[in-house]
């Protein structure tokens, strides 16, 4: 018997509850939160008033309006819901220091050794329920010895396991019936029956006694094991609809037929496999905001607000010894919409004069609407920024530090161009150790690499300025340099040829570009002034012949 106790909190109407907290008048009307999914608007969250009309999560908005004429819709803010869940995580810290988020609408709390501080598990559950009621939230709770069991009780307690074949879905009817029902869409005409979601008044919780996971989870449907919908349907077709049906089957047979993931979920729910609650240490959070007395809409006003926000933000970065690598500007509009832009820096910095010009380049992407009430600047990604120390002679050290501090022009240029085309599109080359001409350098992202120090390694022979994949030329198949040949539709004549330089392929690699075997390279001048880099491949997997691979400036 384990002494761990895990509490799972599920907020089934998190999106709608968040909006009703901000606009209390929405509680009296049917409310649906809408999100674009697969070129279609669907419902992601509903309030109790909308549930009474039979609406369901995942339903298209056009069908929802047909069922509920007075439905009010609001666009979903994934960013806002994530921030609200983070606030709830901080609130749950009053019950235990071990709190972590679970998916997009849940929390998991490790209550081991904490329940007695509230008078026991039942009083603690009552406190959680009362706090959520005061906050205007719908919550369902499950308390058990394992994380998987608590998750199952919070979401499936009191639900009976039914057959996956309801007879209402058109794909479950006979072929002859389906052929005559091609236009059926609504559930009253043969479509899939809607799922009924519990409302606020029906919110429930359940506590599994220590060591009683089998009796608590046995009657629940197999979906309570956190399985994929496809696997759940496959198990239902075989008659395995309840968790107790699975627990009575041979484990080896289940693993062979359905994979080890099913057995792992069963072990996690029953406590045979560990699944700890490990909340990560809160990272350093750098953000500042400016609340405006009157709405603004001009770029000059936003720049003036940035002039006040960035020095405060950079001061907090400097105190922590970190530099910003990605910065986000959020503009909160009067109609509760949020406009945001992000910029990246080629080098971490806590200098406001390097961050503000990058944000100014993207201010045109912000739609002010009816005005902006608040500005918020947040550092999304930061890196340590170590201060350089003087080593050696004092005056020489000062000169070196001054030169290094002023040598940021290239980094600023990379940051400005990256704000337009993306930092990943800006690259630089570094030398590489290889005798193959096209492998003598590597391409690296300029923002995440440093320039090569020192001189570029010299090649044993001259290399062309432009180099491309080998292109065949029309010339006699002989090792001697041809006097006349055709290449790219041109008839060319040789004036002079310097060479040969023999290069052998890497025998330990199977490079498709080097299946022509050993190559003899020639620097060839033509009568029209071109200097080409030709080679004769002696033949390997491919036949022998002449090719052109580059041109000199």
């Amino acid at each position: 018997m384990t002494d761990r106790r895990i509490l799972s909190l599920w907020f089934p109407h998190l999106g709608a509850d968040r909006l009703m907290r901000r606009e209390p008048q929405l509680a009296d009307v049917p409310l649906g939160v809408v999100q674009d999914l697969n070129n279609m608007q669907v419902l992601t969250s509903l309030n109790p008033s909308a549930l009474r009309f039979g609406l369901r999560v995942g339903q298209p908005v056009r069908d929802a309006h047909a069922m509920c004429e007075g439905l009010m819709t609001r666009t979903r803010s994934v960013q806002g819901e994530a921030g609200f869940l983070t606030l709830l995580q901080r609130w749950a810290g009053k019950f235990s220091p071990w709190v972590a988020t679970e998916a997009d609408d849940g929390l998991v709390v490790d209550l081991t050794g904490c329940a007695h501080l509230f008078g026991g598990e039942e009083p603690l559950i009552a406190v959680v329920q009362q706090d959520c009621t005061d906050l205007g939230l719908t919550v369902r709770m499950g308390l058990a010895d394992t994380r998987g069991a608590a998750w199952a009780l919070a979401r499936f307690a009191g639900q009976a396991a039914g057959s996956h074949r309801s007879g209402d879905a058109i794909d479950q009817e006979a072929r002859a019936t389906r052929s005559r029902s091609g236009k059926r869409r609504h559930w009253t005409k043969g479509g899939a029956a809607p799922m009924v979601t519990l409302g606020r008044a029906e919110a429930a919780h359940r506590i599994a006694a220590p060591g009683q996971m089998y009796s608590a989870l046995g009657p629940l449907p197999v979906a309570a094991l956190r399985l994929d919908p496809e696997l759940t349907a496959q198990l239902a077709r075989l008659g395995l609809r309840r968790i107790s049906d699975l627990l009575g089957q041979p484990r080896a047979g289940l693993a062979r037929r359905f994979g080890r993931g099913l057995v792992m979920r069963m072990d996690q729910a029953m406590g045979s496999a560990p699944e700890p609650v490990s909340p990560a240490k809160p990272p350093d959070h750098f953000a500042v905001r400016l609340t405006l007395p009157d709405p603004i809409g001009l770029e000059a006003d936003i720049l003036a607000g940035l002039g006040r926000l960035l020095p405060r933000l950079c001061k907090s970065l400097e105190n922590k010894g970190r530099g910003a690598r990605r910065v986000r500007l959020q503009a909160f509009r009067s109609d509760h919409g949020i406009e945001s832009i992000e910029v990246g820096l080629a080098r971490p910095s806590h200098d406001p004069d390097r961050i503000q010009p990058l944000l100014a380049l993207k201010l045109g992407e912000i739609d002010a609407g009816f005005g902006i009430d608040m500005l918020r600047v947040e550092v999304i990604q930061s890196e340590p920024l170590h201060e350089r120390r003087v080593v050696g002679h004092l005056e020489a050290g000062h000169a070196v530090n001054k030169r290094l501090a002023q040598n940021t022009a290239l980094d600023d240029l990379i940051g400005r161009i990256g704000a337009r085309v993306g930092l990943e599109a800006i690259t630089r080359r570094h030398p590489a150790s290889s005798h193959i001409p096209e492998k003598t350098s590597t391409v690296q992202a300029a923002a995440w690499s440093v320039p090569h120090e020192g001189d570029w390694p010299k090649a044993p022979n001259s290399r062309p300025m432009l180099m491309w994949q080998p292109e065949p030329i029309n010339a006699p198949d002989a090792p001697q340099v041809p006097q006349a040949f055709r290449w790219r539709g041109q008839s060319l004549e040789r004036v002079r040829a310097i060479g040969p330089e023999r290069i052998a392929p890497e025998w330990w690699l199977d490079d498709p570009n080097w299946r022509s075997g050993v190559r003899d390279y020639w620097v060839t001048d033509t009568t029209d002034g071109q200097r080409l880099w030709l080679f004769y491949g002696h033949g390997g997997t491919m036949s022998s012949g002449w090719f052109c691979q580059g041109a000199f400036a």
Side-chain angles (χ1 to χ4, degrees):
M1 180 182 298
T2 179
D3 56 352
R4 296 184 66 224
R5 300 295 286 170
I6 307 297
L7 173 65
S8 179
L9 304 177
W10 179 39
F11 305 97
H13 313 311
L14 183 67
D17 290 342
R18 169 179 166 272
L19 293 176
M20 289 189 297
R21 281 171 49 85
R22 299 179 58 178
E23 302 178 47
Q25 67 273 14
L26 294 177
D28 301 327
V29 297
L31 172 66
V33 183
V34 178
Q35 183 181 19
D36 291 333
L37 185 64
N38 296 330
N39 297 325
M40 179 175 59
Q41 287 188 328
V42 298
L43 299 174
T44 60
S45 183
L46 299 165
N47 69 347
S49 299
L51 293 173
R52 298 190 188 100
F53 288 87
L55 305 183
R56 57 184 174 86
V57 173
Q59 185 178 19
V61 175
R62 60 176 183 270
D63 295 345
H65 279 294
M67 298 174 61
C68 179
E69 184 178 355
L71 178 66
M72 297 285 293
T73 59
R74 293 289 187 273
T75 304
R76 183 188 183 190
S77 174
V78 179
Q79 204 175 79
E81 291 183 8
F84 185 51
L85 190 61
T86 302
L87 295 178
L88 292 178
Q89 181 182 3
R90 295 170 56 186
W91 157 78
K94 64 184 289 188
F95 305 105
S96 171
W98 297 90
V99 184
T101 58
E102 199 161 33
D104 299 331
D105 55 0
L107 299 174
V108 58
V109 186
D110 191 341
L111 292 178
T112 305
C114 299
H116 70 280
L117 300 176
F118 297 85
E121 295 178 349
E122 284 285 355
L124 185 145
I125 292 293
V127 173
V128 175
Q129 183 65 60
Q130 184 60 44
D131 286 357
C132 291
T133 302
D134 296 340
L135 293 173
L137 300 177
T138 302
V139 64
R140 299 192 69 194
M141 294 171 278
L143 182 59
D145 293 342
T146 63
R147 182 172 181 173
W151 187 94
L153 292 174
R155 289 159 177 80
F156 293 91
Q159 296 187 20
S163 174
H164 75 292
R165 300 188 65 88
S166 62
D168 294 327
I170 186 63
D171 57 356
Q172 297 176 7
E173 297 182 3
R175 183 181 299 275
T177 307
R178 294 201 303 268
S179 64
R180 296 192 301 268
S181 306
K183 297 184 178 180
R184 294 184 181 179
R185 295 178 180 178
H186 197 264
W187 65 275
T188 59
K189 298 181 180 180
M195 297 177 57
V196 179
T197 307
L198 294 178
R200 184 189 305 272
E202 298 171 286
H205 66 268
R206 182 171 177 183
I207 300 176
Q212 301 297 322
M213 271 92 68
Y214 185 91
S215 59
L217 299 182
L220 301 183
V222 293
L225 293 176
R226 296 173 289 177
L227 304 178
D228 295 334
E230 295 81 3
L231 181 55
T232 302
Q234 188 177 1
L235 291 171
R237 283 194 295 268
L238 298 176
L240 302 175
R241 301 186 179 92
R242 298 181 302 175
I243 295 179
S244 58
D245 299 335
L246 284 177
L247 296 177
Q249 301 297 322
R251 293 169 52 87
L254 292 175
R256 283 195 304 268
R257 182 157 187 175
F258 303 105
R260 298 182 59 184
L262 173 61
V263 179
M264 175 60 69
R265 287 302 191 187
M266 294 169 56
D267 292 341
Q268 289 175 343
M270 304 308 296
S272 301
E275 192 179 10
V277 179
S278 302
K281 178 185 177 182
D284 292 329
H285 186 67
F286 304 99
V288 291
R289 66 178 181 179
L290 176 64
T291 303
L292 305 170
D294 294 313
I296 62 175
L298 300 178
E299 291 188 8
D301 296 335
I302 299 178
L303 285 174
L306 290 176
R308 295 188 179 186
L309 291 174
L310 289 177
R312 293 162 45 197
L313 180 67
C314 293
K315 184 61 177 179
S316 59
L317 285 168
E318 185 179 1
N319 294 338
K320 290 289 186 177
R322 303 188 69 86
R325 196 61 185 268
R326 291 198 65 83
V327 181
R328 174 193 295 158
L329 169 63
Q330 292 178 311
F332 294 80
R333 305 192 314 191
S334 302
D335 58 355
H336 303 295
I338 302 177
E339 296 286 329
S340 64
I341 57 175
E342 293 184 13
V343 296
L345 285 82
R347 290 289 181 274
S349 173
H350 49 60
D351 185 2
D353 296 332
R354 295 185 60 190
I355 300 176
Q356 184 165 349
L358 301 180
L359 292 173
L361 290 174
K362 287 194 171 185
L363 288 184
E365 301 178 9
I366 296 180
D367 182 10
F370 294 102
I372 297 173
D373 290 327
M374 185 176 70
L375 295 174
R376 183 173 184 267
V377 182
E378 178 184 9
V379 177
I380 303 175
Q381 181 182 356
S382 64
E383 295 180 3
L385 193 61
H386 304 288
E387 297 292 340
R388 293 181 174 88
R389 301 178 59 185
V390 177
V391 179
H393 193 273
L394 184 60
E395 294 182 359
H398 284 313
V400 171
N401 289 339
K402 183 178 180 180
R403 185 174 67 253
L404 291 176
Q406 295 176 351
N407 189 22
T408 60
L410 179 60
D411 297 337
D412 294 341
L413 177 62
I414 294 174
R416 288 176 178 271
I417 299 177
R420 293 292 187 183
V421 301
L423 292 175
E424 296 80 5
I426 308 173
T427 59
R428 62 161 54 98
R429 288 186 175 270
H430 275 229
S433 178
S434 178
H435 70 282
I436 303 298
E438 58 267 27
K439 296 183 179 180
T440 56
S441 63
T442 59
V443 179
Q444 301 182 10
W448 289 276
S449 61
V450 296
H452 173 66
E453 297 181 359
D455 297 333
W456 194 272
K458 294 184 178 180
N461 293 286
S462 58
R463 293 289 183 260
M465 180 65 68
L466 300 177
M467 192 179 299
W468 50 75
Q469 291 293 328
E471 299 177 359
I473 63 177
N474 189 3
D477 188 1
Q480 293 76 21
V481 182
Q483 181 64 35
F485 57 91
R486 285 186 60 83
W487 172 67
R488 290 185 177 177
Q490 308 175 60
S491 296
L492 304 175
E493 293 186 7
R494 172 175 60 86
V495 175
R496 183 180 60 174
I498 304 174
E501 178 188 359
R502 175 160 291 187
I503 299 179
E506 298 170 322
W507 56 266
W508 58 92
L509 296 177
D510 183 16
D511 191 344
N513 297 325
W514 278 79
R515 291 177 179 174
S516 58
V518 178
R519 300 177 179 179
D520 289 338
Y521 281 89
W522 295 83
V523 180
T524 305
D525 295 333
T526 62
T527 55
D528 60 350
Q530 298 186 69
R531 171 167 283 193
L532 303 177
W533 205 36
L534 308 182
F535 73 84
Y536 178 76
H538 289 268
T541 307
M542 298 173 55
S543 59
S544 59
W546 282 93
F547 298 85
C548 180
Q549 192 177 354
F552 293 84

